[in-house]
Amino acid sequence: MEIINRYVYSVSKRLPEAQRKDVADELRGLIEDMLEERVQDREVTEEDVEMVLLELGHPRILARKYRGEKRHVIGPELYDLYILVLKIALISTIAVNTAIFVIQVIVNPMNILDYFVSFIVSFFTVIIPMVFGWTTLGFALAEYFSEGRMEKLELEKGWKPSSLPAVPDEKRQIKRSEPITGIVIYVLLIIMLAFSNEYFGIWIFREGELSGVIPFLNENLYSSVMILAFILFGSGIVKEYLKLFYEKWTYKLVTFITIVNVVSIGLILFLITGFQIWNPNFMNELIQYGMITRGSEGYDVISQIWEQLTFWTVIFLVFGLLFDLIAGFVKVRKAK
Amino acid sequence: MSDAYKHIDKLMQELRRGTITIGALSQLHEPQYGYSLVTTLKEKGIQVEPGTLYPLLRRLEKQGLLESKWDTNETRPRKYYLLSEIGKEVLDLLLVEWQSIAKSMDYLIKERGGENGDH
């Protein structure tokens, strides 16, 4: 009878391809068995069929019982991480967009209303859906391809009470908000530099409006500067993730952070000393814009600073590394 | 009273979930097809809907506790299920557990009944 076909189809179309035929055959047999029991020797009427199908229930519910196991996009094993990443991504994008809005307003204060409206509109139509969408999609894919392996991994690892982490000393503990803030700042810096590196310099205002920027960086070398920035901020993000992962200051964490620092600083030094990354026309442009005059005392001071910029950058970086290292060790030791 | 029935429905669902598995496994030393199993269980006082039992059989087969075979010799093709070797082992262990639970529950309930009698 056609209605039986429709019912069976309705159930099987909701099942994975591989099971469809088998379940359909079995279901057809079941319906016939149920009909047979119901009518005994008389003819099967449409009403009988309807009663039997009603007894079996809504195809969606029956199909759900057949599918059994999984009815979630992101499982409990990944959920915590999902929420964490989502939080970081949301805060970062909101921070970036707010920063861009602020810059737009500074550069062109007359259009503040336009900027504000487009900021709000893009917030709801692009930013939130994009961040939610991509983060969720990423995790859903991870969930799909891991197929319960996470759970197994957790079980197989074995567990004993002695492997429980010690309750962290308050002085050594890293508050979650700290690395999250760090990551957000690094993301902000990366995006700001990638999309508006032309604003990285001295801003010249004339009559309340921005009339030009004297860049700090050599414009011909933006690509290598970009690499530099990505290494620097990227390694910063790695560091913050390590903090998030270890949750407290340990020698291991400090060692990892040191390795990350040394590698990134090595690369930065190579880039800074190997290329002329600072704007070679900086001094001339300052004069052009009338900021200083050649031969004045100010000129001498600034040109001296400018010429020694590479040297000071190196000093700054090395001290930054040392400071990071010492601060880490101090925090580890404090608890003992 | 209707409130009590509402609770009963939910609780019975939870209670049945495990017992139906044991019930089904216990009847599959000989091959049976789904609907014959529904009937046998019903005759022996265990009510189970086909919509619950059929997916369960499939799941048990996927887990390796049951084996299945399509029989196409009869008037209509039927899928027969039978305990696998592992299934037999699991059933034996399961029955031991079940008996222990049943005994303890019996004891618990009787004890409580006795207390009530005192009042």
Side-chain angles (χ1 to χ4, degrees):
Chain A
M1 232 176 267
E2 203 238 334
I3 192 87
I4 297 177
N5 288 336
R6 273 158 60 186
Y7 185 85
V8 171
Y9 171 73
S10 236
V11 174
S12 60
K13 75 171 180 189
R14 293 181 161 91
L15 298 176
E17 196 81 44
Q19 306 177 8
R20 273 184 203 165
K21 191 178 176 312
D22 209 47
V23 171
D25 288 346
E26 208 181 15
L27 209 49
R28 230 179 278 275
L30 169 66
I31 292 167
E32 281 175 47
D33 282 333
M34 286 170 85
L35 279 173
E36 197 169 87
E37 197 196 69
R38 196 182 163 78
V39 302
Q40 306 292 351
D41 288 327
R42 68 181 168 82
E43 275 292 288
V44 175
T45 64
E46 257 173 59
E47 199 192 341
D48 293 321
V49 178
E50 204 176 306
M51 292 310 288
V52 163
L53 295 185
L54 276 174
E55 199 182 323
L56 280 175
H58 197 293
R60 194 188 325 119
I61 294 168
L62 187 56
R64 191 186 292 166
K65 284 186 190 161
Y66 268 110
R67 277 201 314 267
E69 41 352 277
K70 204 166 107 171
R71 291 212 309 276
H72 54 250
V73 178
I74 293 161
E77 297 86 27
L78 281 177
Y79 187 76
D80 287 343
L81 186 63
Y82 167 66
I83 290 296
L84 178 66
V85 172
L86 193 61
K87 224 187 264 174
I88 293 172
L90 271 176
I91 299 173
S92 304
T93 28
I94 290 170
V96 167
N97 281 275
T98 312
I100 288 173
F101 168 68
V102 169
I103 288 177
Q104 283 175 327
V105 171
I106 293 174
V107 172
N108 198 348
M110 298 303 284
N111 291 344
I112 181 163
L113 196 65
D114 286 349
Y115 292 141
F116 186 70
V117 169
S118 75
F119 173 57
I120 295 296
V121 169
S122 71
F123 194 77
F124 288 105
T125 57
V126 184
I127 299 165
I128 300 287
M130 285 283 254
V131 173
F132 258 101
W134 285 111
T135 313
T136 310
L137 180 69
F139 273 87
L141 287 176
E143 176 76 40
Y144 180 79
F145 287 109
S146 69
E147 274 180 354
R149 249 176 270 149
M150 304 251 191
E151 211 171 19
K152 237 183 257 165
L153 200 73
E154 241 161 50
L155 293 177
E156 275 168 10
K157 249 195 280 174
W159 181 87
K160 49 185 196 298
S162 59
S163 64
L164 281 170
V167 178
D169 189 307
E170 220 158 276
K171 286 178 200 139
R172 279 216 275 172
Q173 206 171 351
I174 300 172
K175 284 203 196 85
R176 272 197 152 194
S177 56
E178 192 187 306
I180 290 179
T181 315
I183 292 169
V184 170
I185 291 171
Y186 284 123
V187 170
L188 191 66
L189 289 172
I190 287 179
I191 295 176
M192 296 306 291
L193 221 71
F195 292 106
S196 44
N197 47 19
E198 66 268 26
Y199 292 115
F200 183 59
I202 292 183
W203 294 15
I204 313 287
F205 284 94
R206 286 229 171 97
E207 287 149 21
E209 273 193 34
L210 190 72
S211 65
V213 177
I214 306 174
F216 289 136
L217 300 169
N218 184 347
E219 282 166 282
N220 300 325
L221 281 170
Y222 267 155
S223 56
S224 44
V225 172
M226 279 331 319
I227 295 170
L228 187 143
F230 282 134
I231 293 168
L232 188 63
F233 302 142
S235 68
I237 291 176
V238 170
K239 275 194 287 188
E240 300 304 322
Y241 268 116
L242 285 172
K243 284 191 203 165
L244 212 50
F245 181 76
Y246 281 102
E247 292 174 338
K248 62 175 185 191
W249 287 101
T250 61
Y251 283 115
K252 222 185 204 169
L253 176 60
V254 175
T255 313
F256 276 136
I257 288 184
T258 309
I259 292 169
V260 172
N261 274 351
V262 169
V263 170
S264 57
I265 286 180
L267 284 164
I268 290 162
L269 287 184
F270 169 73
L271 276 168
I272 287 185
T273 53
F275 305 89
Q276 196 185 15
I277 70 153
W278 306 112
N279 181 6
N281 293 321
F282 185 73
M283 293 311 293
N284 291 337
E285 282 176 42
L286 274 183
I287 293 164
Q288 255 172 39
Y289 277 104
M291 301 292 285
I292 46 169
T293 44
R294 197 182 292 275
S296 72
E297 207 176 305
Y299 178 87
D300 288 341
V301 173
I302 293 176
S303 86
Q304 218 165 11
I305 293 174
W306 187 248
E307 271 154 30
Q308 291 184 348
L309 196 58
T310 304
F311 173 72
W312 285 108
T313 311
V314 173
I315 296 287
F316 193 72
L317 282 173
V318 171
F319 270 98
L321 164 73
L322 283 176
F323 180 78
D324 224 20
L325 249 172
I326 292 165
F329 273 111
V330 166
K331 275 174 188 150
V332 177
R333 301 248 1 188
K334 245 191 205 165
K336 305 214 161 152
Chain B
M1 203 57 202
S2 66
D3 266 4
Y5 278 113
K6 229 191 279 170
H7 286 295
I8 280 293
D9 273 353
K10 238 188 203 163
L11 289 169
M12 282 311 288
Q13 213 181 355
E14 281 173 35
L15 195 55
R16 276 207 196 106
R17 203 165 285 159
T19 58
I20 287 172
T21 310
I22 299 176
L25 288 175
S26 74
Q27 301 303 305
L28 289 171
H29 283 286
E30 301 296 322
Q32 291 210 52
Y33 62 94
Y35 200 64
S36 69
L37 190 54
V38 174
T39 335
T40 341
L41 287 174
K42 199 173 171 184
E43 275 165 15
K44 296 179 179 170
I46 304 290
Q47 280 277 8
V48 53
E49 282 169 26
T52 305
L53 188 70
Y54 275 65
L56 173 69
L57 290 172
R58 193 165 276 275
R59 212 150 46 232
L60 291 170
E61 186 198 357
K62 202 176 163 194
Q63 288 166 3
L65 302 185
L66 296 179
E67 285 162 0
S68 76
K69 212 178 78 189
W70 278 97
D71 183 351
T72 45
N73 296 330
E74 287 178 64
T75 43
R76 56 173 162 269
R78 275 169 172 153
K79 195 176 186 182
Y80 278 80
Y81 289 95
L82 176 68
L83 277 175
S84 69
E85 285 309 307
I86 304 164
K88 282 178 197 160
E89 244 174 87
V90 169
L91 177 62
D92 285 344
L93 293 171
L94 208 51
L95 288 179
V96 174
E97 293 294 328
W98 169 255
Q99 246 120 39
S100 138
I101 291 171
K103 216 156 95 189
S104 306
M105 287 305 293
D106 244 14
Y107 181 67
L108 269 183
I109 294 163
K110 271 185 195 136
E111 195 182 46
R112 198 184 165 272
E115 265 172 29
N116 276 359
D118 286 343
H119 288 284

